[in-house]
Amino acid sequence: MTGAPVLRFRLERHASLPSTNDRARTAAELGEPEGLWILAEEQTAGRGRLGRSWRSPRGNFHGSLLLRPDRPLAECATLSLVAALAVAEAIEALTAGRLRPRVKWPNDVLVGRAKLAGILPEAIGGADGRCDALILGIGVNLAHHPVDLDRPATSLTGLEEPAPGIEAFLEVLCGPLEARYARWREGGFAALREAWLARAVGIGEPVRLVVGGAAHEGRLADLGRDGSILLESPTGCLERFGTGELFLDPPPGAGAEGVEAAFAIAAESSSRGAGRL
Ligand code: BTN
């Protein structure tokens, strides 16, 4: 791994917050420089992608990192893929290689097919279409995981691994995250594409992608240098998607009913407000 240190990490720790992303956004709006971590032992209104809630009990990691990448919003959106890669690397290091977590586009971390961690990127856009601040919200199921979701989830405890404290986990995470961020600043997502692909699930497999309520079925052919995915339709056409929710192992005839549209790569940020990527 290459990349010189670029961040000066600081930590703000809370016993309880509604959402660490909200607190990080306030700090960003007050002009806080990049490198600030907001950590909460529990969140009372933790948020996931697609407008879902994110259960956030004590014992799990809930953290938001404030970055100021100063790049176009679309480029900054790829930082959520970078964060997922770093989280997977951190968990592998923490478990001395017993676990080798994989990444699922755009920003889930899985062990097997079960979700261990997720990223919620939110941007504050500048007037010129550049990213004034990017908040990387990271949730990792260290000690607990939900068992009543429609998709499988897991935790370190559930995988019979010891669950570290949240600051101990943060210490392990900062190394890969800083190194990957440094590399991204030098070469963009293209410089990390191979590393991401080496951990990816679903490449070459049949998948279903839901975009704007419409389901696209096909084979997940590749990942572009810009972080978008290429889907090969049953007729052999290649289509590029920068947004969407990806489902692996699609059940035959499954449609998009009931699936909300909200996505990771589309920059929804306005020039004034904070947006979810
Ligand atoms: C997902 O849906 O996979 C993303 C989950 C992100 C959860 C984290 S926990 C810390 C930060 N604060 C939030 O409210 N959400 C993110």
Side-chain angles (χ1 to χ4, degrees):
M1 217 181 291
T2 60
V6 290
L7 288 169
R8 191 178 61 82
F9 287 120
R10 286 104 54 219
L11 174 61
E12 191 182 291
R13 184 175 170 152
H14 298 258
S16 180
L17 278 179
S19 162
T20 55
N21 268 30
D22 293 348
R23 171 72 199 114
R25 183 189 311 158
T26 303
E29 285 168 351
L30 291 171
E32 185 73 36
E34 70 174 358
L36 178 69
W37 275 103
I38 308 291
L39 239 56
E41 287 166 36
E42 66 163 12
Q43 296 183 120
T44 52
R47 292 184 280 114
R49 292 179 54 229
L50 311 173
R52 294 176 182 132
S53 63
W54 182 263
R55 283 178 227 169
S56 309
R58 268 168 218 282
N60 284 354
F61 179 86
H62 322 107
S64 298
L65 175 62
L66 167 60
L67 296 176
R68 297 214 183 254
D70 189 27
R71 300 278 160 85
L73 278 166
E75 265 181 56
C76 293
T78 63
L79 279 170
S80 66
L81 285 83
V82 174
L85 177 63
V87 168
E89 289 170 339
I91 290 164
E92 182 165 338
L94 186 76
T95 61
R98 289 184 298 278
L99 297 182
R100 187 165 193 282
R102 314 278 298 275
V103 288
K104 172 178 160 279
W105 189 88
N107 47 20
D108 287 349
V109 178
L110 309 185
V111 173
R113 294 268 151 144
K115 180 160 168 171
L116 181 65
I119 318 292
L120 179 65
E122 289 178 331
I124 299 175
D128 52 359
R130 291 175 84 80
C131 185
D132 183 40
L134 182 78
I135 292 150
L136 285 175
I138 300 177
V140 186
N141 296 333
L142 298 176
H144 313 281
H145 64 272
V147 291
D148 55 353
L149 301 180
D150 54 357
R151 275 169 283 173
T154 193
S155 56
L156 288 185
T157 302
L159 293 163
E160 301 187 347
E161 291 288 340
I166 57 174
E167 280 184 37
F169 181 74
L170 180 63
E171 218 161 285
V172 181
L173 176 59
C174 280
L177 196 53
E178 178 162 47
R180 293 310 193 180
Y181 181 54
R183 190 83 187 92
W184 179 91
R185 284 174 66 120
E186 288 163 10
F189 181 72
L192 295 166
R193 178 177 165 272
E194 287 301 328
W196 195 95
L197 278 171
R199 278 194 187 262
V201 286
I203 302 290
E205 293 180 17
V207 296
R208 181 165 48 100
L209 182 75
V210 179
V211 186
H216 304 258
E217 300 212 355
R219 192 179 67 89
L220 180 54
D222 205 354
L223 177 80
R225 288 166 58 83
D226 61 353
S228 60
I229 48 168
L230 286 170
L231 207 65
E232 186 186 9
S233 75
T235 57
C237 293
L238 278 181
E239 222 181 327
R240 184 180 292 275
F241 293 91
T243 70
E245 194 185 12
L246 190 66
F247 294 84
L248 305 171
D249 296 326
E257 295 81 19
V259 180
E260 286 178 68
F263 311 112
I265 297 287
E268 289 171 12
S269 307
S270 72
S271 58
R272 293 173 350 145
R276 191 169 302 173
L277 297 183

